[in-house]
Amino acid sequence: MVQWHEKLPTRIGLRLAGLALLGSAWMEGGLLQSIVAANPSAEASIQQILLAALMFMSASGGMLLAIVGAGL
């Protein structure tokens, strides 16, 4: 019996989800850059730290899904 993660549409979907996460990480990075550029001398706020953490998680998960896919 074929497992759900071995089917072709699932493998393609997981890799597309990874690419979507990479795209969101790129947009989050641009937003973070614009926020920091607006006031570069201030210390990092909690929103900036949380946005950076979200960007890191999106980039990490996106790369994992895009490269490994259903092999997770």
Side-chain angles (χ1 to χ4, degrees):
M1 181 175 179
V2 177
Q3 299 293 328
W4 68 270
H5 57 81
E6 294 176 355
K7 295 180 181 177
L8 183 63
T10 305
R11 292 187 308 185
I12 292 172
L14 286 173
R15 292 184 191 265
L16 287 176
L19 292 176
L21 279 172
L22 287 174
S24 72
W26 181 61
M27 290 186 286
E28 292 157 5
L31 178 62
L32 184 62
Q33 182 181 6
S34 66
I35 291 172
V36 171
N39 196 2
S41 62
E43 290 191 21
S45 67
I46 190 71
Q47 291 86 6
Q48 292 171 342
I49 293 171
L50 289 175
L51 184 58
L54 179 65
M55 186 183 83
F56 174 77
M57 294 299 291
S58 295
S60 298
M63 284 302 292
L64 209 87
L65 283 174
I67 293 173
V68 179
L72 290 175

